[in-house]
Amino acid sequence: MCGIAGYLNFRDKRSPEQIQATIGRMNGAIAHRGPDDRGQWMDPENVCHLGHTRLSVLDLSAAGHQPMLSRDERYVISFNGEIYNFRDLRRQLEKLGHVFHTGTDTEVLLAGFAQVGPQFFQYLDGMFALAIYDRQIGCLTLARDRAGEKPLYYASGDHFFAFASELRSLLQVEELPVALSEEALALYFTLRYVPEPGSILAPIRKLEPGMVMQVFRDGRVRHERYYAFNIDQDQEVKPDRLGDYVEMVEAALAQSLVNRLNSDVPLGMFLSSGVDSSLACAVLARKLGRQVKTFSVGFEGDPGSEHEAARDIAKTLGSEHHEYIFTAADFERICNEIGGLLDEPNGDRSCVPTYLLSEFTRRHVTVAISGDAGDELFGGYGRYPAFATAYDQNKDLHPTAAVQTYIERGLPVLAADAVRAAFPQGYNAVQGFFHCYAPFFMHLGRPTLHALRQLDFHTYLPGAVLAKVDRMSMQHALEVRTPFLSPQMLDIARKASAGLCWAGQIQKIALRQLLARYLPQEHVMAPKKGFGMPPSVFLNNRERVGQELTAAYRRLSETSFFSARPNALNSVFSAAGANINAAWAAIVLAKWVDSVGRPL
């Protein structure tokens, strides 16, 4: 896993030396993503400059150094991620006459792009954010993986275009003005994150998952989508074919795991008591016969902590198990550090245990397998049944209102009235978000569950879940791989009928049916608990939470944005006092502002 950065110099406004110094600072800001190597490349024409920081996972030799030039020196790439099927793609490209000189997936990406252009991305099984510059036509191509496992930020001005793996890297571009965005803040306090294509800072944007962006040296820009998670009822597998469907899931998950075992460094697995991580571990240990190292986190004094169940699952599967127990001291430490750990504010409370789990896991391995995305793909969130049942019985609710109601009930931060009161000029972005995803609820006769799966796949998964995993794991240079997001698993998931996702109050029917082949019934049927900091953490640390809220109010009031809008701050904190999610979102925002190092 790595970090990438780059700068396009329109109209030769800056000298090569100036831009190379900028790239050096951009690399330095994402050094934690790639501690093993750094590289810079400069276009002889002073148009394109690329940077890279490397975490060595495949081909640990100097042959994997980036930015990497193609053999004919027409293309140059800076790439963050892993392409799991690169060996298969390499063999196909060799049949077409391509000759390879390294064992890296990076060289395969260069050859594939040279062969067919951006269409090559649809053949990739992997997580990635990449930049390829075509020196012949002066075009920079940016692309991001299907689900958004790897991040990609960008910004532009009159004479430049810049991009990077993290927002903080772009802050190293001197000519980029930055300010808190009212629209972004309205979205943040509605969702607990800022969804693509926006960011918390007005001029900086994020490339959406499944998208290709091309920037030409004359400043022209072109966007194209190559993937969306669409559920087609004409192709769905009905409940009477549950057995066949389970076989399909098992085969696809096993193959995805095999592909994700490609590594020249030690590898382990995240394990909770949930269905998804348990199933990935079980298939790897029992079906594939691999020795597994598993890692879990628990919460001291919390009766709902998952670590004891995870320990029992690990014992059943025979894994080498390691666990970390979250204590009050950890809460104290994370409260002090959280702003600097997050590249962009993310109010999801599970950032904290994910950070601690990643820190603990990295002491033993360099790569970890996770169970993320199973809930979005197979309808596993506990918030789904009640909303879907209510909406199915009353389709009078407008689709836009359906999105808003689901967010407010299922993922509550601040209610719409509170957000509108705090950010009247930015609330149009929230309305725009609701309107953008309303079409998911416009399919006559289609179960509402499918709309919720699509909505969360395109919003909550990349915006909160995968962003959290990437930022928290990369703070420790730990690479996390997600077997549920292979193209084959995505294709199988979109064919799941509602009856294969739930029956009555039982969710993820097909996955539980498969898990029953490997684990006892008490683990197969265990209810979903979630991975966030439980309410007990806040109850056990009431005094510290109160102190942090007071400090957050004071720090945010010092910003240019909120000092000019005191009513906005009062509205946010009035609502945050009785809402754990809103309180944590406010604390995180203040900590992040304090860590940025530039006036906001």
Side-chain angles (χ1 to χ4, degrees), residues 3-283:
I4 65 175
Y7 187 104
L8 286 183
N9 182 30
F10 302 141
R11 296 182 293 281
D12 202 23
K13 287 285 187 176
R14 298 184 70 201
S15 71
E17 294 77 18
Q18 288 175 320
I19 301 174
Q20 283 294 288
T22 297
I23 293 293
R25 291 192 301 273
M26 294 175 77
N27 272 352
I30 49 176
H32 56 276
R33 300 185 69 92
D36 297 329
D37 189 22
R38 289 195 202 184
Q40 294 182 219
W41 176 83
M42 181 179 71
D43 176 13
E45 297 181 3
N46 193 29
V47 175
C48 180
H49 296 250
L50 299 179
H52 190 267
T53 66
R54 183 187 183 198
L55 173 63
S56 301
V57 174
L58 284 171
D59 193 339
L60 309 186
S61 73
H65 179 79
Q66 293 188 53
M68 182 183 288
L69 279 161
S70 61
R71 290 296 150 181
D72 62 3
E73 298 192 352
R74 174 175 174 176
Y75 303 100
V76 59
I77 185 172
S78 186
F79 160 57
N80 167 31
E82 298 290 342
I83 306 303
Y84 307 118
N85 64 336
F86 82 96
R87 290 187 175 89
D88 289 337
L89 295 171
R90 173 175 171 149
R91 284 190 286 270
Q92 296 177 46
L93 289 164
E94 285 174 333
K95 292 178 181 178
L96 296 174
H98 291 271
V99 177
F100 295 90
H101 300 272
T102 76
T104 66
D105 48 1
T106 309
E107 191 180 15
V108 172
L109 284 171
L110 275 174
F113 188 86
Q115 184 68 35
V116 297
Q119 291 84 357
F120 187 64
F121 304 139
Q122 63 188 292
Y123 300 108
L124 303 180
D125 174 12
M127 54 178 176
F128 58 88
L130 58 81
I132 299 176
Y133 184 64
D134 183 338
R135 298 174 61 193
Q136 181 171 303
I137 65 173
C139 176
L140 177 72
T141 297
L142 304 176
R144 197 171 171 207
D145 62 69
R146 291 170 176 81
E149 291 183 75
K150 294 293 107 183
L152 190 53
Y153 289 82
Y154 65 92
S156 60
D158 176 62
H159 64 274
F160 75 94
F161 175 91
F163 68 89
S165 291
E166 295 189 5
L167 179 147
R168 290 177 191 271
S169 183
L170 281 176
L171 295 180
Q172 307 307 311
V173 178
E174 305 95 315
E175 61 266 49
L176 179 64
V178 293
L180 288 170
S181 160
E182 182 165 351
E183 292 188 344
L185 286 167
L187 285 163
Y188 175 73
F189 280 106
T190 300
L191 303 169
R192 77 191 71 188
Y193 61 92
V194 182
E196 287 88 349
S199 86
I200 194 69
L201 298 178
I204 298 178
R205 297 175 71 77
K206 298 190 286 279
L207 185 64
E208 294 174 81
M211 291 289 289
V212 176
M213 179 181 186
Q214 292 185 299
V215 185
F216 296 85
R217 62 182 159 204
D218 62 6
R220 287 180 297 121
V221 178
R222 183 166 62 202
H223 286 84
E224 183 178 357
R225 175 168 293 282
Y226 73 90
Y227 182 79
F229 181 62
N230 294 316
I231 297 173
D232 185 353
Q233 281 189 279
D234 293 335
Q235 297 185 32
E236 72 178 15
V237 179
K238 303 300 182 184
D240 60 359
R241 292 187 56 208
L242 174 60
D244 294 338
Y245 189 78
V246 168
E247 293 291 337
M248 292 165 57
V249 171
E250 183 178 45
L253 183 57
Q255 185 59 58
S256 182
L257 283 163
V258 168
N259 290 347
R260 280 153 182 77
L261 296 180
N262 288 331
S263 174
D264 295 327
V265 294
L267 183 146
M269 302 193 74
F270 290 164
L271 178 63
S272 69
S273 66
V275 169
D276 307 321
S277 65
S278 299
L279 182 57
C281 288
V283 170

Side-chain angles (χ1 to χ4, degrees), residues 476-489:
H476 307 289
L478 176 73
E479 178 179 311
V480 178
R481 301 176 175 179
T482 310
F484 284 93
L485 289 175
S486 71
Q488 189 178 5
M489 284 296 294

Side-chain angles (χ1 to χ4, degrees), residues 304-363:
S305 181
E306 297 184 79
H307 70 281
E308 291 186 0
R311 186 191 306 156
D312 189 56
I313 291 169
K315 183 178 180 180
T316 302
L317 297 176
S319 72
E320 178 189 317
H321 190 58
H322 308 262
E323 62 186 29
Y324 184 91
I325 304 301
F326 181 100
T327 67
D330 288 308
F331 186 74
E332 178 88 13
R333 175 165 71 96
I334 294 302
C335 276
N336 289 330
E337 297 177 1
I338 189 67
L341 300 177
L342 288 167
D343 176 48
E344 186 179 6
N346 184 336
D348 192 320
R349 300 202 314 270
S350 62
C351 286
V352 174
T354 302
Y355 175 81
L356 293 170
L357 180 59
S358 298
E359 180 182 53
F360 175 60
T361 301
R362 185 62 173 87
R363 298 173 193 168

Side-chain angles (χ1 to χ4, degrees), residues 422 553 556-557 560-573:
Y553 183 95
L556 290 175
S557 69
S560 297
F561 181 91
F562 283 108
S563 64
R565 301 170 179 83
N567 289 337
L569 205 56
N570 291 331
S571 295
V572 166
F573 278 81

